[in-house]
Amino acid sequence: MSAATLATPTGRQAAAPARPRRRIRPATIGWSALSVVLFALFSFPVYWMVNTSFQPNNEIRGSDIHFWPDNFTLRNYETVLFDPGRTPFMPAAANSLIVTLTTVAVALIFAFLAALAVTRFRFKSRRTFIIVILVVQMIPGEAMIVSIFRVIDGWQLLNTLIGLTIVYVATVLPFTIWTLRGFVNGVPVDLEEAAMIDGCSRSGAFWRVTFPLLAPGLVATGVFGFIQAWNEFVIALVLNARPEMMTLPVWLRTFLVANGTTNWAAIMAGSTLMAIPVIVFFLIVQGRMTSGLVSGAVKG
């Protein structure tokens, strides 16, 4: 075979087609740049809080702006954690953790059962119950602070973690029921019926098929309930005024001085420490939370 024959298209192996290069659209670049700008804007207050916590208080109150702690110090954290003249940080943190975790656990249990009831069963006044939940969720807790105080005082639960937890559960529950109702409604009943046809009991079909699909929704709802209970201030200030029963938002208020110099550096250090449990909790459940937030977007 001659060289000319080998050079022909029929005498040589056809070359693999080259992949077309993916062109980046200008709109994609614009949206990406906008996302970076928004991330920087939303992250800057957090950075400023942490940056301020490592600066001396006199530099914070000065006219010069320090975007970096030039005179790095840990004295603010020492003041927050070990100052004998103030309410200790650790008891307040323990109170917040106990109240918040108990609130989330109890609210999720009752909200989960309520969401199953209004989604899986048809009963009288079902629509009224859903509307009442929505209306109650729209009422701010501060509007009922006098009634809440009188009820808790009548139960002899003022300045107790139990009384504050009961109020927090009642506050978080409407939002939790409303959110979990959407997750439960997104799981078809046919999955349970198919499992029952295959031999599962009703409870077995629920725990083996339905509940694993609802777990991301429970986690996502629990995160929002955790943040709401962890950051609540007004109700905790009214019901738990004693120093040994303070939660962290109320404890942080003790650094404010009406007729003196407020130690803003210590406040920023306390705020940074207060944000750590929320960040840790979010990092633990972020995988489940992400899948919970997007569940129900695509139905198969």
Side-chain angles (χ1 to χ4, degrees):
M1 186 179 293
S2 62
T5 305
L6 293 175
T8 58
T10 57
R12 64 184 181 185
Q13 187 177 2
R19 291 184 177 181
R21 291 185 177 181
R22 185 178 180 181
R23 299 182 60 183
I24 301 178
R25 298 180 179 179
T28 303
I29 299 176
W31 284 114
S32 300
L34 180 61
S35 301
V36 173
V37 172
L38 291 177
F39 175 78
L41 291 176
F42 292 139
S43 301
F44 183 76
V46 180
Y47 166 76
W48 195 255
M49 176 185 68
V50 178
N51 175 46
T52 305
S53 67
F54 292 112
Q55 298 182 26
N57 192 48
N58 58 350
E59 291 188 359
I60 298 173
R61 300 180 61 86
S63 58
D64 296 333
I65 299 177
H66 301 271
F67 289 95
W68 183 258
D70 300 325
N71 297 322
F72 184 88
T73 180
L74 295 176
R75 184 177 298 275
N76 302 318
Y77 290 92
E78 295 177 1
T79 301
V80 168
L81 295 174
F82 307 113
D83 188 359
R86 296 187 177 276
T87 303
F89 170 81
M90 295 307 298
N95 292 338
S96 288
L97 282 175
I98 293 172
V99 171
T100 302
L101 294 178
T102 306
T103 299
V104 172
V106 175
L108 284 181
I109 292 174
F110 283 99
F112 184 57
L113 297 176
L116 286 175
V118 299
T119 305
R120 291 289 191 261
F121 303 99
R122 297 294 182 268
F123 54 90
K124 188 177 181 180
S125 302
R126 171 178 169 271
R127 186 181 299 273
T128 304
F129 176 73
I130 297 175
I131 295 176
V132 168
I133 291 176
L134 182 60
V135 172
V136 170
Q137 183 180 348
M138 298 170 60
I139 301 176
E142 291 77 6
M144 301 181 294
I145 194 66
V146 177
S147 301
I148 292 173
F149 179 85
R150 297 190 64 177
V151 170
I152 297 299
D153 187 26
W155 292 349
Q156 303 297 321
L157 292 177
L158 282 179
N159 293 302
T160 62
L161 299 183
I162 297 177
L164 187 61
T165 302
I166 292 174
V167 177
Y168 279 4
V169 170
T171 304
V172 174
L173 199 57
F175 168 79
T176 311
I177 294 175
W178 185 263
T179 306
L180 282 179
R181 174 178 170 269
F183 287 110
V184 176
N185 196 30
V187 178
V189 186
D190 299 341
L191 296 178
E192 294 184 25
E193 295 177 352
M196 293 172 64
I197 292 175
D198 291 338
C200 287
S201 61
R202 178 175 293 274
S203 60
F206 172 77
W207 290 109
R208 296 181 182 180
V209 177
T210 305
F211 186 77
L213 297 176
L214 294 176
L218 288 171
V219 172
T221 308
V223 169
F224 290 113
F226 184 94
I227 295 175
Q228 184 176 353
W230 182 264
N231 293 328
E232 202 285 322
F233 172 75
V234 176
I235 296 177
L237 177 64
V238 174
L239 299 184
N240 286 27
R242 291 182 181 176
E244 65 273 13
M245 289 298 169
M246 286 182 179
T247 56
L248 282 179
V250 182
W251 166 85
L252 197 63
R253 175 180 169 270
T254 60
F255 286 90
L256 296 176
V257 180
N259 297 321
T261 302
T262 300
N263 192 348
W264 289 107
I267 291 178
M268 294 298 105
S271 301
T272 303
L273 293 176
M274 184 177 169
I276 291 177
V278 180
I279 297 174
V280 172
F281 181 74
F282 178 78
L283 291 177
I284 294 174
V285 301
Q286 64 172 340
R288 287 285 187 178
M289 181 181 177
T290 303
S291 58
L293 291 175
V294 301
S295 63
V298 180
K299 293 184 179 180

